[in-house]
Amino acid sequence: MPLSDCRLISLPKVQRPQGNLTALHGGAEIPFRIERVYWLYDVPAGVYRGAHSHRTVETVLIAAMGGFTVTLSYGEDRARFTLRRPDVGLYVPPLVWRELDDFTSGSVCLVLASERYDEAEYIRDFGEFMSQTRKPFVPSQPA
Ligand code: TYD
């Protein structure tokens, strides 16, 4: 079940008196090969982002700066996560619907993705998403 695969990942932190550093590797701390990195910033107060799911892309979301709330759903099931630490990632597998809101001022949402951007791979229509969740879920087999 995709929603139960969603999880917080504790990321390594190198602590120095001069400040902290977190380094990530695809296939290690991040459970997929990283093909794309993007970040959301200058997000105006009160807006929400997301409102889609992905057919195949896996992602990890990180509050690199500030914080925001992520609401995940699959069918009738929902899970809510508040991210506000740069050393914690939220793993979101394919098919899970995501909505991001409550961005704090100046926040940065860093996203690691398993594939390059392809609009055809998005499910943006909530009705289509709900009909997908009624099909039996078949996990993809490792290559
Ligand atoms: P979208 O994924 O809808 O953003 P969010 O879910 O955060 O609200 O993308 C917003 C726009 O940016 C859309 O026109 C597609 C474009 N975009 C890219 O060109 N490349 C990317 O890697 C991503 C994620 C989006």
Side-chain angles (χ1 to χ4, degrees), residues 12-86:
K13 181 158 77 169
V14 180
Q15 289 184 278
R16 296 281 184 271
Q18 304 91 320
N20 302 330
L21 179 154
T22 292
L24 303 173
H25 306 83
E29 300 87 359
I30 304 304
F32 50 79
R33 192 188 141 118
I34 300 166
E35 275 294 324
R36 177 168 47 119
V37 178
Y38 64 93
W39 49 99
L40 309 176
Y41 55 98
D42 292 345
V43 179
V47 305
Y48 74 92
R49 308 265 329 211
H52 59 73
S53 70
H54 292 281
R55 296 176 205 279
T56 54
V57 171
E58 299 174 80
T59 53
V60 167
L61 281 59
I62 300 167
M65 174 82 85
F68 49 86
T69 299
V70 186
T71 304
L72 302 176
S73 59
Y74 187 81
E76 306 301 325
D77 298 323
R78 274 188 169 48
R80 212 150 209 258
F81 296 88
T82 298
L83 299 183
R84 55 169 123 248
R85 292 174 50 157

Side-chain angles (χ1 to χ4, degrees), residues 1-2 5 55 74 94-95 132-133 135-141:
M1 161 63 143
D5 290 337
R55 296 176 205 279
Y74 187 81
L95 300 179
Q132 291 281 340
T133 66
K135 291 181 190 163
F137 173 62
V138 182
S140 55
Q141 299 298 312

Side-chain angles (χ1 to χ4, degrees), residues 60-138:
V60 167
L61 281 59
I62 300 167
M65 174 82 85
F68 49 86
T69 299
V70 186
T71 304
L72 302 176
S73 59
Y74 187 81
E76 306 301 325
D77 298 323
R78 274 188 169 48
R80 212 150 209 258
F81 296 88
T82 298
L83 299 183
R84 55 169 123 248
R85 292 174 50 157
D87 59 348
V88 173
L90 174 61
Y91 172 73
V92 184
L95 300 179
V96 170
W97 188 267
R98 75 201 50 207
E99 295 184 9
L100 283 68
D101 63 2
D102 289 340
F103 286 87
T104 63
S105 172
S107 59
V108 177
C109 170
L110 179 67
V111 184
L112 313 176
S114 62
E115 296 174 21
R116 297 175 80 90
Y117 172 72
D118 174 12
E119 183 60 35
E121 174 283 327
Y122 277 69
I123 302 174
R124 294 193 185 269
D125 180 79
F126 193 70
E128 183 192 348
F129 164 71
M130 287 303 283
S131 65
Q132 291 281 340
T133 66
R134 283 190 277 274
K135 291 181 190 163
F137 173 62
V138 182

